[in-house]
Amino acid sequence: MKDQILDKATDMFLTLGFKSVTMDDIASEMGISKKTIYQHFANKDELVKATTTNLYENISCGIDEIILADKNPIEELFAIKEFVMKNLKNENTSPIYQLHKYYPKIHKSLMIKQFDKMGTCVIKNLEKGIHLDLFRKEINKELIARFYFAGMNSIKDPEIFSPEKFSIKEVQTNYLEYHLRGICTPKGVIKLEQLININNN
């Protein structure tokens, strides 16, 4: 039952937002009593923490599988973007922003884990791209990894990127292209534009 509650809560939080969904909503959706939820999770904060931890672990495992597929580094970043967006339901209601606003301690803990994971992945991606002459050799890998992490988190802010004006997919795709055009060699740009043309058709 605990795993079922976790799955349903994750789905509802990502669809409607961490603040918007109540324990009553989850109980009603599952056809169980709120008391049943409290047998497994002492309060909503504990449930939110459990769902974000579970989600982080699932996404981390999925990213590891994409990296193991040994795609070229440009394709790898596009594949990771698609995978993350699918698992976060395209973040149409900006649940991560709600998490930051209403559950700051949980959000900060998640950001630390994400930074460790993403920093390592991005640096390995950059090293692979440099080795294949797709990324410029002179780039500062540590700095670029931080730029990328900071940007990926900033574009989730609906006050800056209003969902009414920009779709999440549009923002994510343009940000990834922006990142890659800044680090690609001429050879890398050709690969990037081929991939963009494939995705647009």
Side-chain angles (χ1 to χ4, degrees):
M1 178 56 72
K2 184 174 182 178
D3 288 342
Q4 290 173 280
I5 294 169
L6 201 56
D7 289 343
K8 178 54 70 175
T10 301
D11 181 64
M12 292 181 73
F13 286 148
L14 290 178
T15 304
L16 302 169
F18 286 97
K19 172 67 173 175
S20 308
V21 176
T22 66
M23 299 294 256
D24 284 316
D25 293 332
I26 297 167
S28 176
E29 187 72 17
M30 294 187 70
I32 60 177
S33 69
K34 195 161 61 170
K35 183 180 176 182
T36 303
I37 298 177
Y38 286 126
Q39 287 173 350
H40 300 283
F41 302 97
N43 50 49
K44 187 179 174 184
D45 279 29
E46 190 176 303
L47 180 56
V48 168
K49 185 175 181 180
T51 57
T52 55
T53 299
N54 187 51
L55 190 61
Y56 167 79
E57 289 171 355
N58 289 340
I59 289 175
S60 291
C61 288
I63 289 173
D64 288 343
E65 287 180 15
I66 291 169
I67 292 170
L68 285 172
D70 203 28
K71 301 173 183 285
N72 85 52
I74 298 174
E75 290 176 331
E76 184 176 278
L77 286 179
F78 273 89
I80 289 172
K81 175 187 72 72
E82 291 298 325
F83 172 77
V84 172
M85 285 186 66
K86 181 180 177 183
N87 277 269
L88 294 181
K89 296 183 176 292
N90 294 338
E91 297 187 12
N92 288 331
T93 55
S94 301
I96 301 302
Y97 186 67
Q98 281 198 19
L99 187 69
H100 175 239
K101 188 172 182 180
Y102 299 106
Y103 300 92
K105 288 183 180 178
I106 296 173
H107 179 264
K108 185 175 182 180
S109 174
L110 181 64
M111 287 299 101
I112 290 168
K113 287 191 286 189
Q114 280 188 340
F115 179 75
D116 288 342
K117 176 71 178 181
M118 195 168 165
T120 302
C121 290
V122 173
I123 287 174
K124 286 182 179 178
N125 179 272
L126 293 171
E127 288 172 343
K128 190 194 295 186
I130 290 168
H131 177 71
L132 295 173
D133 193 32
L134 296 174
F135 298 158
R136 294 183 290 111
K137 289 180 172 60
E138 71 275 14
I139 59 176
N140 183 325
K141 297 188 292 291
E142 291 279 348
L143 196 56
I144 295 297
R146 282 166 168 75
F147 283 160
Y148 190 65
F149 178 79
M152 284 299 290
N153 284 291
S154 294
I155 62 175
K156 294 169 186 171
D157 187 340
E159 292 181 4
I160 300 174
F161 299 96
S162 167
E164 285 76 36
K165 191 170 184 181
F166 307 105
S167 75
I168 298 298
K169 184 175 182 179
E170 177 188 9
V171 174
Q172 292 269 8
T173 301
N174 277 272
Y175 178 69
L176 182 54
E177 182 180 347
Y178 176 82
H179 165 72
L180 285 166
R181 286 192 184 278
I183 62 174
C184 277
T185 61
K187 179 181 174 182
V189 170
I190 291 170
K191 286 278 187 186
L192 171 62
E193 292 183 344
Q194 288 172 344
L195 200 55
I196 290 170
N197 287 333
I198 290 169
N199 287 343
N200 287 340
N201 293 330

